[in-house]
Every structure is written in C-alpha cells, then in structure tokens.
Amino acid sequence: MRERQKLCLKGDMTIRMAGRELELGAFADGVEFFADELKRLEWIRIHTPHFMTVENRTSWLRLKTPDAALFYLGGYCVRSQRDFLKKVRRDNPKLVFWHFGDIDAGGFYIHEHLCRVTGILFRLYRMSRKELEDPHFQSCLRPLTQQDRIRLKSLEKQELYRDSVMCMLEKNRKLEQEIISFYGTENESMEEYFIYSCGQ
C-alpha cells in the first residue's frame, strides 16, 4: 500500500480548514497533516515576512527561525506540495520565498525544479560560495564525484547558480545542508541574510 503524502509546517501561521481556524504557531516543533486534507483547506495566512522550504528532514526539525515559516520539502517537489505552495503564494502575495538545501548538484536541481513547477521564484538560503568558504565548515566539505562534476557543468550555464558551482568545481567540494543547520541557524533572523542575498 502506498504511503500517504504528508505536509509538514512550522512557524507563525494560521490555517482555516473546514470552517475552523488553527494557529500553527502554537506548536513549537511544527505540525503534519495528510496532503489529501488540502481539499478542506480554505486559506492559509503566514504571519512572517519569509517562507522557506527545507530539503532535508533533520534540518527542518532543527530550524527555528522567528521571521520565517518553514515547510519540509524532502527532495523534489511532488504534486500535493506544489498545489499547497501555490495556495500559500495566492493567499500571501507579499511573502518572500526561500529554499534551503544541500550545496551540491542535487540541491540546485531540486531548487530549479521547485521554481519551475510552482512558478514561484525561491531565493537560495545559505547555498552560496560564502558557506563553501566559511571556516566553520571546512572539515565537513566532501569531494565531488565524477557524476557531480557532469551535473554541475550543466548548472554552470545558469547565472543563478554559476558562482557557487564555479567555487565547487574549483575547490572540488560540496556541503550537506545538515552541517549548515547544525552550526548556528537556530533562532537566526532571516533579515541579515536577506540583505546579504539582495546585495549579491
């Protein structure tokens, strides 16, 4: 029997489902509900300026960001997640969207797919040269495989990924998201990173 898809949320937001309003911010570690409940979801209001998808579950569980609502993606965006994210965008048109994933070929391909299937421009959160060169992470960098290099060469043509990809190819390194989330993202404000990202 196929496992039912779940949607996992964390942060300051309110949903109205089947005539009842639920304050999800009351749950410090987030909530999960089955994707087939989406048909009963009337609206969702995000009370933070930022909304972030998170690729890996360990990082999603670890993160607590006061000015961003969090959504566990778990890899490539599936249909129910796509439909939910589109509804988030429709109901919250001023929201700034981010994606946080591994700094490797897979992480960037997941981001590209996410933007394409939802029609939403997700900014990259802590997936840059800055993290690859951060002294905190140097002992955790991993060498690229030949397959990594092939996939990265294709991404190098896209301006959004070019600087990070060039750094990865030059240094022969990649970095897992769980390492970054372990070092100092708990209760981190998005605003400082938002300014840095916009300044790139």
Side-chain angles (χ1 to χ4, degrees):
M1 184 176 175
R2 188 175 180 179
E3 186 176 352
R4 294 166 70 190
Q5 178 73 37
K6 291 180 181 178
L7 300 177
C8 307
L9 299 161
K10 185 191 294 186
D12 190 6
M13 62 191 100
T14 307
I15 64 173
R16 183 175 178 86
M17 186 174 288
R20 296 185 178 185
E21 293 185 18
L22 304 170
E23 296 291 341
L24 303 189
F27 300 89
D29 294 319
V31 298
E32 297 182 351
F33 60 91
F34 288 114
D36 51 18
E37 296 280 3
L38 271 177
K39 58 183 177 291
R40 303 197 304 141
L41 181 63
E42 297 169 33
W43 49 253
I44 178 165
R45 292 182 185 148
I46 311 298
H47 306 301
T48 59
H50 307 281
F51 186 92
M52 182 161 61
T53 56
V54 183
E55 182 182 334
N56 298 317
R57 188 166 181 84
T58 298
S59 295
W60 184 80
L61 291 169
R62 185 180 284 149
L63 285 170
K64 288 180 173 61
T65 308
D67 48 1
L70 305 175
F71 180 74
Y72 170 57
L73 196 62
Y76 283 96
C77 184
V78 299
R79 182 181 299 177
S80 58
Q81 294 173 321
R82 177 203 66 190
D83 293 345
F84 177 75
L85 291 168
K86 285 183 172 183
K87 182 161 186 60
V88 170
R89 178 60 179 270
R90 284 195 301 269
D91 291 352
N92 304 269
K94 295 183 179 179
L95 205 56
V96 179
F97 286 82
W98 297 81
H99 175 69
F100 181 29
D102 292 328
I103 308 179
D104 62 13
F108 290 127
Y109 274 105
I110 286 170
H111 173 263
E112 186 277 332
H113 178 262
L114 175 65
C115 295
R116 179 161 40 83
V117 300
T118 62
I120 301 169
L121 177 59
F122 285 81
R123 294 176 178 271
L124 292 167
Y125 177 72
R126 302 197 73 172
M127 295 176 68
S128 70
R129 178 184 288 268
K130 181 180 180 182
E131 284 69 45
L132 291 166
E133 295 179 344
D134 190 315
H136 288 102
F137 308 140
Q138 294 308 299
S139 63
C140 302
L141 294 170
R142 296 171 55 209
L144 301 175
T145 66
Q146 186 57 33
Q147 185 63 23
D148 287 331
R149 289 187 161 277
I150 293 169
R151 298 182 77 197
L152 287 169
K153 279 291 184 182
S154 178
L155 286 168
E156 193 177 18
K157 300 170 186 175
Q158 299 186 46
E159 185 177 354
L160 179 61
Y161 309 120
R162 186 173 298 133
D163 186 58
S164 297
V165 167
M166 287 176 64
C167 181
M168 293 168 69
L169 290 169
E170 288 167 8
K171 296 179 182 296
N172 190 38
R173 292 290 183 265
K174 59 185 176 181
L175 181 61
E176 293 181 350
Q177 174 188 29
E178 291 92 339
I179 302 299
I180 298 169
S181 66
F182 182 78
Y183 286 96
T185 54
E186 185 168 342
N187 294 316
E188 178 182 68
S189 169
M190 294 288 293
E191 289 303 322
E192 182 176 344
Y193 199 86
F194 180 66
I195 293 167
Y196 162 76
S197 177
C198 288
Q200 281 189 317

